[in-house]
Amino acid sequence: MYYAMYVVGFALMMILNVFCYGKYNTTRKRAVIYTLVTYVYGVLGAIAMGILYTNISKAHHVEEESRVAIFGAVVFTPLLLMATVAVEKIIVRRTAQKTDNSRGKKKTKTPPPVSMRNTVDLLTPGIFIILTCAKLGCHFSGCCYGVACEWGVHSVKAGEGTVFPVQLFEVGTMCAILLLCYYIKRTEFFRRGMAYPLTAAIYSAARFGWEFKRYYPEELRRLVFGLTFWQATCCVVFAASVISLIVLHMTQPSAPLKTTRNGKHKLK
């Protein structure tokens, strides 16, 4: 059931991007390709972070294997996407130069310019939709369970005890974050390229708080300056996201998604 929720999240992301690609001045084909690429990057990032966390646990004499850690998708996916778009821009530029230098060829329709900020903005909601579905999968599989709680949910992995339903609270929080960012992107505050750092900043702040309600062995509870490994990661992601937001706000013009007469949204 856990991995099935990844598939559900991917399907929702694909549907969203196929319908919304026009808002970000790109093509449907490119939106589909980047959705597939983003999913692969997210899975690879989650696997890499899972391996890292497993090794950290073993180093502290705790046998807590983590096959995937969704925070790895939060950390690595945007970096890999930006690198991919940078390569694409180089290829498109060289292709355009060859076309301009050639003669006797038919003129073709010029494709939309490759924009790193627009690309990541398009993909951001889907990334966090997949994370939300994955966290719901955690609830179904019983992993990442909460601390002992009298009114919580039954957990086999917690020794048949009752635990705080931290996964469900995280799912609810992430849904609220997606809705909040949906409206923020339609205000004068928004700049192109802000979608990911905005969502990541709010998510990392929320995740930091919910970590106090997640169960950890004592060896992993105060791993980094009295924080869990994921709380420390939240601090890094939050700081990087806030810096990105400040830079974008100071250097880029306001570009809220505006509603047109036919009900569609586009960048102002």
Side-chain angles (χ1 to χ4, degrees):
M1 190 65 179
Y2 175 74
Y3 293 106
M5 294 308 300
Y6 276 88
V7 177
V8 172
F10 171 74
L12 292 175
M13 180 182 185
M14 181 65 76
I15 293 171
L16 177 65
N17 291 346
V18 166
F19 277 97
C20 298
Y21 71 94
K23 304 177 187 178
Y24 302 94
N25 195 30
T26 189
T27 63
R28 179 183 285 110
K29 179 180 178 180
R30 188 168 178 273
V32 170
I33 292 174
Y34 264 95
T35 300
L36 292 169
V37 169
T38 301
Y39 183 75
V40 173
Y41 286 165
V43 171
L44 292 177
I47 292 174
M49 192 66 87
I51 293 173
L52 174 62
Y53 188 71
T54 297
N55 290 330
I56 291 174
S57 299
K58 289 181 178 180
H60 289 78
H61 310 291
V62 176
E63 292 298 324
E64 186 171 318
E65 183 179 1
S66 179
R67 287 173 291 181
V68 291
I70 63 173
F71 218 121
V74 176
V75 174
F76 295 117
T77 301
L79 301 177
L80 293 172
L81 279 175
M82 288 189 290
T84 303
V85 177
V87 172
E88 181 191 11
K89 294 180 76 169
I90 294 173
I91 294 173
V92 170
R93 184 163 54 249
R94 289 181 177 177
T95 302
Q97 289 174 350
K98 290 181 180 180
T99 302
D100 293 339
N101 293 332
S102 63
R103 296 180 179 180
K105 292 188 176 181
K106 295 181 179 180
K107 292 183 178 180
T108 57
K109 184 178 179 181
T110 304
V114 176
S115 169
M116 184 175 297
R117 285 180 289 153
N118 278 349
T119 302
V120 179
D121 282 351
L122 165 67
L123 299 168
T124 294
I127 292 171
F128 284 90
I129 286 174
I130 293 178
L131 295 182
T132 302
C133 292
K135 183 56 66 174
L136 185 59
C138 288
H139 170 71
F140 292 133
S141 68
C143 62
C144 308
Y145 55 86
V147 296
C149 181
E150 293 182 358
W151 58 270
V153 296
H154 181 74
S155 175
V156 176
K157 294 188 177 182
E160 301 294 339
T162 304
V163 298
F164 182 82
V166 65
Q167 309 103 318
L168 295 180
F169 277 90
E170 283 193 58
V171 169
T173 302
M174 292 171 76
C175 289
I177 291 171
L178 285 168
L179 286 174
L180 176 62
C181 291
Y182 173 88
Y183 288 106
I184 292 177
K185 287 190 293 185
R186 284 148 181 82
T187 67
E188 296 298 322
F189 169 79
F190 187 72
R191 272 74 170 155
R192 289 190 306 122
M194 269 191 176
Y196 197 89
L198 175 66
T199 312
I202 302 174
Y203 167 74
S204 57
R207 174 68 184 267
F208 183 93
W210 288 124
E211 279 288 292
F212 289 108
K213 288 296 185 179
R214 181 173 167 180
Y215 170 78
Y216 285 98
E218 283 303 314
E219 295 87 346
L220 302 179
R221 171 59 67 180
R222 297 173 179 81
L223 195 61
V224 183
F225 300 112
L227 304 174
T228 67
F229 175 76
W230 301 121
Q231 283 178 318
T233 306
C234 284
C235 292
V236 174
V237 172
F238 181 81
S241 298
V242 170
I243 291 172
S244 298
L245 289 172
I246 293 173
V247 171
L248 286 169
H249 193 273
M250 293 178 64
T251 60
Q252 299 299 322
S254 176
L257 288 175
K258 293 295 184 179
T259 304
T260 61
R261 291 182 179 180
N262 61 5
K264 295 181 180 180
H265 291 82
K266 65 178 181 179
L267 287 169
K268 185 177 179 181

